[in-house]
Amino acid sequence: MIRSLAFENTATGWKLEETSFGELNLLVGPSGAGKTRILDTLRHIREMIAEGSHSSGSCNWSLTVEAGGNVYKWEVEIEAGFYPGRFVRELIVRNEDENLVDRAEIFFFKGKELPRLQESRSAVELLQSEDAIGPLYQAISRWLFLESSITEPSVDIRDFELEDHYSDGEEIPWTLDRLKREADYPVLVKAYLLQQSCPREFADLRRRYCDIFPTVSDIRIGKLQEFARGSAVRPDYIITVGMREAGVGRWIEGDDLSSGMLKVLYYLIELALTSSESVIFIDELENSLGVNCLPDLSEEILRSSAEVQFIITSHHPQVINSITEKHWKLVTRQGSVVTVRDAESIPALQTASPLQKFTQLINLPEYAEGVA
Amino acid sequence: MNLYFLVEGRRTEMKIYAAWLSHVFPTLQLVQRPEDVTDDCLRLITGGGYPQYLERVAEVLEEIVTIVGNRVDRLFVCADAEDMSLDDRHQEITESIEALQPTVRYSVIVQNCCIESWLLGNRRFLKRNPQDEKLRVFKSYYDVGQLDPEAMEPMQPYKRKAHFHEDYLKAVYRERGLSYTKKNPKPATEEHYLKALVERFDETSHIRSFGRLIDDWRDLGAEI
């Protein structure tokens, strides 16, 4: 779970003042304030531990993360110029007083000097196998950015190695727990495995989906040939979603489903298969979703937020109204400096007014004058 | 005296009404929460655009009764006529308020067709011989200094009246070396600008929908 973040792009001057995060965070604010940029910044940090700092500009950040029962503070300074970005300063402190990493000219880990290591790689990545750092690495690895591109209606299953075996040759089953921990596949492939291996959980997911879209009576994730029409031969390596709708005699396949319907399904699958201690990021939750499903989807997110942390942006009245203001974070920008405030700290919102919350939000001077 | 304003738009109206009211009723205190309404207060709320603002009417009426204890002298509901007629829009809003059986006295103010139409009424601001090419074309098509801005139909290729009125106003500003934006309508917010519009209405009966607002304000004791 991300507890706080402060970030500065020293090349451009863009700065995020220290921001704290709870379990559910709905970033609201006028267009141009920096909501998406905050998500992009976190994505950038996530990339740093996987790909190194080659493509990073000069920046620094201070990130506090709760992982494995400990609180890690990770402070970083990256320098870039004509050369690729490199980590010139790194500090990792566990539970406020245990210095794990102190990296400058010399690299210390738990007080011991380490040999010279790649400057383009972060300490979190380099030391991920160490018990002290592993949980931090794992936590950041579990940040999941749900993209609008997740509405891909079909996938070629040959691209993925889905079977693994014990040393005696027996296949390792895809339990729900294993799916959550290890299934690093596109959402459709994960859904396919869930359906095959965890029918009860899949049935629960189907029921929740059908509650949101009452015209849908059944869902199946299957190979194209399972949805065969007539005698046409269809590839058995492409999997897609099929749905049955009232009044339609055949399966409706992925290509023919609306992107909004697919998106809600994929969100539900991701929510069902996300391991606890994960963080899910959704930029503009309402994108391509109809008003008929937004409140229900918000409700699903609220339900999941007990286990998973969410950082979501939205402009949509229905999303904003359906998530109480105690979860709102009002994002504003003065020049290059972005500030995020808990809505609870804004006096004008402490009212019993029957005006809907979204109306109260857009009437705040902090909102109206939120970009200057 | 306590006044409530529910305005349709998020940006321009909020700025203009807040500024004009501070000139006309300088003792009114703008409050952010209904709980803060005491004796001489102004609450100004944007309804977030058409048609959402109509849905806000019920909430505002409820707020006035349950939180402010009916201590509101007048509720103003202000909206653009857009492409409807002044009377049709007025009727539409009045009907939606009446359906809620309001206990507060209210006024419906229709900006015909939009607030920029009113702002075009400032004869002192419009230059007699403009240099701006677009403004010259607009003025030769329809001279808002001579004719009633509210009655101005869009010239080709404009499809919507409000877009034309806004572009006309932008050209008037540009001629003065200024830039009119929805977010920053200055100097229309200033007292001299408001007075010029009042003068236009008093002398010519042009911008009649603006005149209804002025009549109501005078009715409430404004010396303008």
Side-chain angles (χ1 to χ4, degrees):
Chain A
M1 173 171 162
I2 300 171
R3 281 201 172 178
S4 71
L5 172 70
F7 184 93
E8 184 176 8
N9 183 326
T10 41
T12 64
W14 187 84
K15 186 178 180 184
L16 173 68
E17 301 266 34
E18 179 160 10
T19 300
S20 59
F21 294 96
E23 284 170 349
L24 175 57
N25 308 273
L26 180 66
L27 304 185
V28 296
S31 294
K35 301 181 292 297
T36 299
R37 190 97 180 250
I38 293 171
L39 265 57
D40 287 344
T41 297
L42 286 156
R43 189 201 314 265
H44 177 72
I45 292 172
R46 161 87 169 75
E47 284 167 5
M48 290 293 109
I49 67 155
E51 297 162 18
S53 59
H54 296 294
S55 58
S56 177
S58 296
C59 61
N60 56 61
W61 71 74
S62 173
L63 172 74
T64 307
V65 170
E66 201 177 314
N70 293 304
V71 177
Y72 293 84
K73 186 169 191 177
W74 180 29
E75 293 182 338
V76 171
E77 190 181 331
I78 293 176
E79 237 178 52
F82 293 111
Y83 45 83
R86 57 198 179 96
F87 288 85
V88 294
R89 187 92 179 98
E90 250 184 307
L91 281 173
I92 301 176
V93 178
R94 186 164 62 180
N95 299 328
E96 294 189 353
D97 57 2
E98 193 183 350
N99 287 329
L100 297 176
V101 168
D102 185 345
R103 177 188 198 179
E105 291 297 315
I106 304 170
F107 194 143
F108 292 98
F109 174 55
K110 289 183 166 178
K112 288 187 184 147
E113 186 177 335
L114 298 184
R116 196 170 175 80
L117 294 163
Q118 274 183 287
E119 289 182 321
S120 65
R121 298 284 162 181
S122 75
V124 175
E125 183 188 4
L126 291 165
L127 302 173
Q128 60 178 284
S129 306
E130 295 290 334
D131 289 345
I133 301 295
L136 175 60
Y137 177 84
Q138 292 298 331
I140 297 174
S141 302
R142 282 195 293 263
W143 293 359
L144 181 64
F145 294 84
L146 297 190
E147 308 283 355
S148 47
S149 60
I150 64 168
T151 52
E152 203 61 51
S154 57
V155 62
D156 186 336
I157 207 159
R158 294 173 303 180
D159 294 341
F160 306 97
E161 188 62 58
L162 302 180
E163 290 178 11
D164 200 2
H165 299 88
Y166 292 113
S167 51
D168 64 1
E170 194 187 337
E171 192 180 333
I172 305 173
W174 280 108
T175 60
L176 184 64
D177 191 45
R178 186 176 168 221
L179 273 170
K180 287 183 174 186
R181 277 185 292 107
E182 295 176 28
D184 189 16
Y185 305 120
V187 62
L188 204 49
V189 177
K190 288 201 268 189
Y192 182 67
L193 294 172
L194 181 75
Q195 179 186 261
Q196 303 294 322
S197 311
C198 313
R200 213 173 56 190
E201 283 77 11
F202 188 83
D204 179 52
L205 186 139
R206 177 169 47 211
R207 181 186 52 72
R208 285 173 20 223
Y209 185 83
C210 296
D211 282 347
I212 296 176
F213 294 104
T215 58
V216 176
S217 57
D218 198 4
I219 303 171
R220 190 197 294 172
I221 316 293
K223 294 172 179 164
L224 276 183
Q225 62 186 20
E226 294 177 39
F227 306 112
R229 299 168 193 168
S231 57
V233 178
R234 311 178 86 196
D236 66 354
Y237 47 83
I238 302 289
I239 57 169
T240 189
V241 185
M243 290 191 196
R244 278 200 185 279
E245 273 202 285
V248 183
R250 58 174 177 79
W251 285 97
I252 307 167
E253 291 174 34
D255 281 332
D256 296 328
L257 291 165
S258 80
S259 62
M261 288 178 81
L262 274 177
K263 200 166 180 174
V264 171
L265 177 65
Y266 290 179
Y267 278 169
L268 292 190
I269 294 164
E270 292 286 14
L271 294 183
L273 292 180
T274 302
S275 55
S276 54
E277 290 203 351
S278 292
V279 187
I280 292 181
F281 302 86
I282 308 174
D283 193 17
E284 297 199 15
L285 176 66
E286 61 269 23
N287 273 355
S288 80
L289 297 177
V291 291
N292 55 329
C293 59
L294 277 177
D296 291 323
L297 188 59
S298 304
E299 190 57 38
E300 289 287 344
I301 287 170
L302 280 170
R303 196 179 311 175
S304 308
S305 66
E307 291 183 16
V308 179
Q309 186 181 26
F310 285 90
I311 301 180
I312 299 167
T313 76
S314 178
H315 285 284
H316 201 284
Q318 273 197 305
V319 174
I320 294 174
N321 281 330
S322 60
I323 295 179
T324 60
E325 70 269 25
K326 74 172 182 184
H327 300 298
W328 296 358
K329 304 252 174 212
L330 179 61
V331 182
T332 58
R333 178 170 62 81
Q334 293 281 323
S336 306
V337 180
V338 173
T339 307
V340 181
R341 293 174 63 184
D342 287 347
E344 281 184 320
S345 72
I346 298 171
L349 286 175
Q350 312 315 311
T351 172
S353 170
L355 276 173
Q356 56 165 229
K357 287 294 171 185
F358 177 76
T359 307
Q360 292 183 25
L361 172 70
I362 62 173
N363 273 286
L364 293 174
E366 293 90 338
Y367 185 97
E369 307 295 333
V371 178
Chain B
M1 177 174 71
N2 293 320
L3 298 183
Y4 253 66
F5 274 77
L6 174 63
V7 302
E8 178 189 338
R10 275 196 206 183
R11 292 175 293 182
T12 327
E13 282 102 321
M14 291 294 279
K15 288 231 157 64
I16 287 181
Y17 279 101
W20 286 358
L21 283 158
S22 73
H23 305 316
V24 177
F25 300 107
T27 60
L28 288 186
Q29 189 76 34
L30 182 68
V31 296
Q32 297 298 330
R33 306 183 320 145
E35 287 87 346
D36 300 329
V37 173
T38 50
D39 289 335
D40 210 10
C41 295
L42 165 68
R43 185 144 153 78
L44 176 59
I45 301 160
T46 172
Y50 181 83
Q52 296 94 306
Y53 81 95
L54 284 174
E55 296 164 19
R56 303 287 80 77
V57 173
E59 294 161 8
V60 167
L61 291 174
E62 188 188 339
E63 180 180 299
I64 288 172
V65 173
T66 58
I67 302 182
V68 189
N70 266 326
R71 287 173 297 126
V72 172
D73 296 87
R74 189 81 64 98
L75 162 67
F76 288 83
V77 178
C78 312
D80 289 339
E82 291 277 348
D83 290 321
M84 274 172 108
S85 75
L86 169 61
D87 292 337
D88 285 352
R89 177 70 85 207
H90 195 281
Q91 188 181 344
E92 178 194 63
I93 300 170
T94 304
E95 280 174 3
S96 59
I97 297 174
E98 281 301 310
L100 298 162
Q101 300 178 322
T103 53
V104 64
R105 192 166 172 207
Y106 69 90
S107 294
V108 173
I109 302 297
V110 175
Q111 295 138 196
N112 189 23
C113 69
C114 54
I115 206 155
E116 285 79 13
S117 317
W118 290 358
L119 304 183
L120 283 169
N122 185 345
R123 289 174 299 192
R124 297 165 194 272
F125 196 58
L126 177 69
K127 281 200 177 168
R128 217 173 280 269
N129 294 303
Q131 301 304 305
D132 183 274
E133 191 52 39
K134 216 169 179 182
L135 183 56
R136 289 165 80 96
V137 173
F138 290 162
K139 204 159 176 262
S140 64
Y141 164 77
Y142 191 100
D143 185 353
V144 290
Q146 302 294 323
L147 304 165
D148 184 0
E150 284 195 13
M152 180 168 68
E153 291 298 323
M155 66 180 280
Q156 289 297 336
Y158 287 91
K159 291 183 177 63
R160 300 191 67 186
K161 210 169 158 180
H163 292 164
F164 179 51
H165 287 208
E166 186 184 333
D167 271 8
Y168 201 139
L169 185 68
K170 281 181 175 169
V172 174
Y173 268 59
R174 204 165 46 238
E175 177 67 25
R176 293 260 173 200
L178 299 166
S179 169
Y180 175 83
T181 62
K182 291 258 180 206
K183 209 172 174 185
N184 184 14
K186 241 178 165 179
T189 48
E190 290 169 7
E191 191 171 12
H192 63 84
Y193 204 107
L194 171 63
K195 281 185 171 167
L197 297 181
V198 174
E199 182 186 277
R200 175 74 179 266
F201 167 67
D202 285 341
E203 290 177 5
T204 64
S205 294
H206 290 165
I207 46 173
R208 185 168 57 104
S209 63
F210 170 77
R212 288 190 187 179
L213 174 70
I214 298 306
D215 287 344
D216 281 338
W217 282 357
R218 285 173 171 156
D219 186 40
L220 288 164
E223 292 175 6
I224 189 164

